[in-house]
Amino acid sequence: MSGMWPLWEVFIRARRGMSHIHVGSLHAPDAEMALRHARDVYTRRGEGVSIWVVPSSQITASSPDEKDAFFDPAADKIYRHPTFYDVPADAPHL
Amino acid sequence: MDGSDEQEAAFYAIIDADGRIEPRDDMPEAYRRSLVRQIAQHAHSEIIGMQPEGNWISRAPSLRRKAILLAKVQDEAGHGLYLYAAAETLGVSRDELLDKLHTRRQKYSSIFNYPTLTWADVGAIGWLVDGAAITNQIPLTRCSYGPYARAMVRICKEESFHQRQGFEALLALTRGTPEQKAMAQDALNRWWYPSLAMFGPPDTEGGGAKRSTHTEQSMRWGIKRFSNDELRQRFVDMTVPQADVLGLRMPDPDLRWNDERGHYDFTPPDWDELFAVINGDGPCNAQRIEHRVSAHHEGQWVRDAASAYAAKRQRHLEGVA
Amino acid sequence: MRSGNANSGTRWADAELTARAQPLVEYTLRLADDALVLSQRLGEWITRAPELEEDVALANIALDLLGQARALLTYAGQTEGAGRDEDALAYLRDDREFRNVLLVEQPNGDFAVTMARQLVFAAYQYELYDRLRASADQTLAAVAAKAVKEVAYHREHAALWVRRLGDGTDESRLRMVAGLDAIRPFVDELFDTDDLISQLGAVAVDPADLREPWAAYVDAVLIDVGLELPDPDHTARGGRLGLHGEALGYLLAEMQHLHRSHPGASW
């Protein structure tokens, strides 16, 4: 029997109130083991309260070749950012 | 990268702006190959490095020291894992890399080809070898390849305790009985020059004035930030005062502070010995690889069983669906 | 105190008498030695595990057990009141003074033997600590409350592997069956009860009470992959009385030699 255990991407929620953040990857034969391994490898110092594991092969990524088309159109929509708007300095809670 | 000028220009634009190259970016093939080699060698060093220290887990002289050593060797396995994962983003598999380690087609740090003869060696490894490793690694947290730099950030953070525990273990010995102090001095005598050799050959190899082309290229690519000699000097300058605190004698009669240079002068390691050890002639080269290969072979049936189980469950799920 | 001083010269026979006079010390040493000896065995796997991820997992378990052992040994030493600390108890007692069950001192064998031992022992320790949380002794209750969470993980780790080896390849199944055979003779001792337990009343957990919930867990794991714990062709016991197998002598020789080579030294 050949074949290495597949690769999994590991995401950890460091504290309640935060998003899961990608921390690295590891090899595991299945999802259950991937979770255990992620716990052992990536939370040895109490780094997390929740873990996601995702097979690396299941991630669809945007291509760097298309990055202009993907991301440049957002760059000039400055009205999406709060600093675009002039408001009087004495207007409270804005 | 197919070598088109535009892609190459885009690559160097990121490098020149001290930006990070990410896995799916175009990159020169030589850059990719060089990184794979460097990261793999680094990962191999972590997992081979588990052996000389692991050698003392069962015999650690107090339960506190045993717990520290277990945690440290465990960290090294973790660090090996982070680094193999970083290499895998460059399109190689961990299996391929391990195979190259097992068949001696890729190297690991030669320091681990020396034996740990006494308990003091565990302290000396923490203090000197991890100290040298950290000196090497801190600049790598700013390396141009994103996944490698991120792995190094994590590793440096975790390794901060490794050097301190080594120093503390030696301090307990030098403040202990005469036998313990002699043990510590003996360990320093044996590990000092191999630690200096960890920074690699001198910049002006063969007495020439030119830095090795390999170093030049790695610097251009932002995967090496300082030359071997610069890092070695930094390590010596940092370590000598620590030896004084320990009350240990550096095994170098010519070691002294040079006011003019603002650095310590020191005797370089015996490069012939270094190259002999790199090329397989160290005291433990064969032992380290044999140990590693046998663990891998003996684990094959376990890994196969887990894969087979996963495949069965998958088929079962699909059959049900 | 510094270990290895005059107190540590106590002959084992004296120590045994002291222990008998102090049931709480004796009981605490049982718990401590189980954890210490198994931790020492699991530590032997480091650099030899089937995969790097598993080196990390086994080291975690060994570290948990070592932590439990240290807390318990320290407490045993304090309760005894003879000035022995965790190291004096770990490094300066001889085989006959160790109180661990025979199961934990068994050599690691292959990964299947180790996982069989892990499943049986972690499931036992889980039920034990789960009840010891309610001990009338506050220190033991506190150690158990922390340890039960660790052991829950150990138990699950073993269960995952026993399922995978039991229903993996033909080879792994054969090895898993052999692993269960290998540890079977040492299972019953876990549940032995004696005068010490009844003497301690609400301080101790009666091992006999653990057998049923233990079996429910272990059997469920094994049945899931069509395995069972075989009937033993013989059973071995004696660990609680300090009557061990030969393997423990070598384990302790290795563990203790450096510490004993430098009497009175600090590390």
Side-chain angles (χ1 to χ4, degrees), chain C residues 27-147:
Chain C
Y27 183 66
T28 307
L29 285 175
R30 290 181 181 184
L31 302 175
D33 289 346
D34 282 353
L36 179 62
V37 171
L38 186 56
S39 172
Q40 181 79 3
R41 279 288 182 230
L42 290 177
E44 294 170 13
W45 269 104
I46 311 306
T47 73
R48 295 181 176 83
E51 188 56 280
L52 271 176
E53 282 85 351
E54 206 48 38
D55 272 311
V56 179
L58 292 169
N60 260 349
I61 297 172
L63 272 172
D64 286 343
L65 290 165
L66 182 56
Q68 294 165 19
R70 293 181 64 191
L72 290 162
L73 287 173
T74 299
Y75 183 53
Q78 286 165 355
T79 310
E80 182 190 50
R84 293 202 284 183
D85 65 3
E86 59 176 24
D87 287 335
L89 287 167
Y91 290 96
L92 298 172
R93 282 181 300 149
D94 292 331
D95 328 23
R96 291 280 286 108
E97 298 168 78
F98 269 74
R99 290 292 176 261
N100 57 282
V101 287
L102 303 182
L103 177 67
V104 294
E105 72 194 45
Q106 297 310 307
N108 285 335
D110 67 9
F111 193 67
V113 174
T114 293
M115 285 303 115
R117 189 182 64 198
Q118 280 303 106
L119 177 68
V120 164
F121 188 73
Y124 156 81
Q125 229 186 0
Y126 178 84
E127 301 300 338
L128 168 69
Y129 284 143
D130 186 41
R131 285 158 185 76
L132 196 63
R133 286 189 288 180
S135 168
D137 183 286
Q138 287 187 353
T139 305
L140 290 184
V143 170
K146 177 168 183 290

Side-chain angles (χ1 to χ4, degrees), chain A residues 1 5 26-30 32-33 36-37 39-41 44, chain C residues 51 53-54 56-57 60 64 153 156-157 160-161 163-164 169:
Chain A
M1 163 134 196
W5 292 346
L26 49 73
H27 288 272
D30 54 43
E32 205 178 8
M33 293 295 278
R36 311 306 299 186
H37 288 159
R39 180 260 194 198
D40 287 327
V41 174
R44 292 198 302 286
Chain C
E51 188 56 280
E53 282 85 351
E54 206 48 38
V56 179
N60 260 349
D64 286 343
Y153 170 77
E156 204 179 319
H157 172 265
L160 287 176
W161 272 116
R163 286 202 195 93
R164 278 155 184 76
T169 62

Side-chain angles (χ1 to χ4, degrees), chain A residues 32-87:
Chain A
E32 205 178 8
M33 293 295 278
L35 261 186
R36 311 306 299 186
H37 288 159
R39 180 260 194 198
D40 287 327
V41 174
Y42 288 103
T43 68
R44 292 198 302 286
R45 289 170 170 78
E47 293 95 331
V49 296
S50 165
I51 303 176
W52 290 347
V53 290
V54 182
S56 306
S57 60
Q58 294 298 306
I59 290 183
T60 308
S62 65
S63 156
D65 297 338
E66 299 161 345
K67 72 173 180 297
D68 291 352
F70 259 69
F71 303 117
D72 283 1
D76 63 357
K77 294 185 178 57
I78 51 174
Y79 44 81
R80 288 191 192 276
H81 299 277
T83 48
F84 177 72
Y85 301 94
D86 277 331
V87 292

Side-chain angles (χ1 to χ4, degrees), chain B residues 10-24:
Chain B
F11 171 80
Y12 281 108
I14 294 174
I15 297 279
D16 292 339
D18 200 20
R20 296 289 174 268
I21 304 297
E22 294 295 344
R24 286 158 55 91

